[in-house]
Amino acid sequence: MNHFPGFTQKDFDVFTISGLEERMEALKSNVSPKLEFAAQELAPYLTSITGDEMFVHVAKHARRTTNPPNDTWAALANSKKGYKKLPHFQIGLWESHVFIWFAVIYESPIKQDFAKVLKQNLKQVRDYIPADYVWSKDHTKPEAIPNKDLSDEEFEGLVDRLQNVKKAELLCGVHIDRHDVVLQDHDAFIEKCEEIFHKLEYLYRLTKEIE
């Protein structure tokens, strides 16, 4: 495999394999390379729309000693050294779906300042993000809430939480069901990711307004 060939149902079934070593072996041999190839293809596009050179970081799950991972991903950030402290983009899998995110996660030192910028642009953010895009407050859980289902007060609550809770996170993007045919086709998937990242670049741009 020297390019992203699309996902198969076998890729999602990896998360049903019991045992840390067995699941990690299946991830490393098949799923992680696919995510890396897709992210490498997407990096030049993200670099061009953000103006920042983007580097690929594939999840290693290195800290795990007993429990096998329930999801995996590749992140794109503007540093070779790492991504967790930076606003970044992700593509990845749970057993049920693929996720394509913009993410500010709990390690990020800009969380409070980003929350302030979001508050200043609350209406614009709600209007700009498509109704079917989803928001998450925790990257370790598969659930997320569609933008259309969040009231303004509930969205403000997510932003308040980002500002005031140490472990808080905020992610925005799209979930694609594991059976969606777009995942099986190289060109269709890359095109879909570019379309989503084009929208999410707006949130990345807002992080640039932090003083």
Side-chain angles (χ1 to χ4, degrees), residues 25-164:
E25 181 53 41
L27 284 173
K28 284 179 184 174
S29 62
N30 202 44
V31 181
S32 296
K34 286 186 179 184
L35 288 169
E36 182 166 14
F37 282 126
Q40 293 287 4
E41 285 194 60
L42 290 162
Y45 177 76
L46 267 176
T47 296
S48 71
I49 63 171
T50 61
D52 291 336
E53 187 174 1
M54 291 288 169
F55 300 91
V56 174
H57 304 268
V58 180
K60 299 279 195 292
H61 307 289
R63 294 179 190 167
R64 291 184 174 270
T65 54
T66 51
N67 297 323
N70 291 318
D71 67 328
T72 197
W73 61 89
L76 296 114
N78 68 339
S79 170
K80 277 185 181 177
K81 294 179 180 177
Y83 67 93
K84 292 183 179 181
K85 292 185 177 182
L86 300 169
H88 62 273
F89 300 86
Q90 291 182 11
I91 54 172
L93 286 79
W94 289 87
E95 183 186 341
S96 55
H97 63 270
V98 160
F99 54 87
I100 302 163
W101 289 129
F102 166 79
V104 173
I105 59 175
Y106 69 89
E107 289 97 332
S108 174
I110 70 157
K111 288 192 322 179
Q112 289 179 310
D113 291 327
F114 183 48
K116 290 175 189 171
V117 172
L118 286 173
K119 283 183 179 178
Q120 291 161 7
N121 296 275
L122 221 53
K123 187 177 186 317
Q124 295 96 310
V125 171
R126 295 306 306 283
D127 290 347
Y128 184 82
I129 298 300
D132 60 340
Y133 278 44
V134 295
W135 295 92
S136 168
K137 61 182 180 181
D138 186 345
H139 81 276
T140 67
K141 295 179 180 173
E143 299 82 19
I145 308 166
N147 195 39
K148 65 177 182 292
D149 293 344
L150 271 177
S151 69
D152 289 340
E153 292 75 20
E154 287 168 330
F155 181 70
E156 206 163 342
L158 283 179
V159 177
D160 280 337
R161 187 174 182 277
L162 185 68
Q163 188 170 2
N164 299 314

Side-chain angles (χ1 to χ4, degrees), residues 1-20:
M1 182 168 59
N2 57 7
H3 71 288
F4 172 69
F7 295 110
T8 67
Q9 295 310 304
K10 187 180 172 186
D11 296 326
F12 296 93
D13 290 340
V14 161
F15 299 107
T16 65
I17 297 171
S18 57
L20 175 63

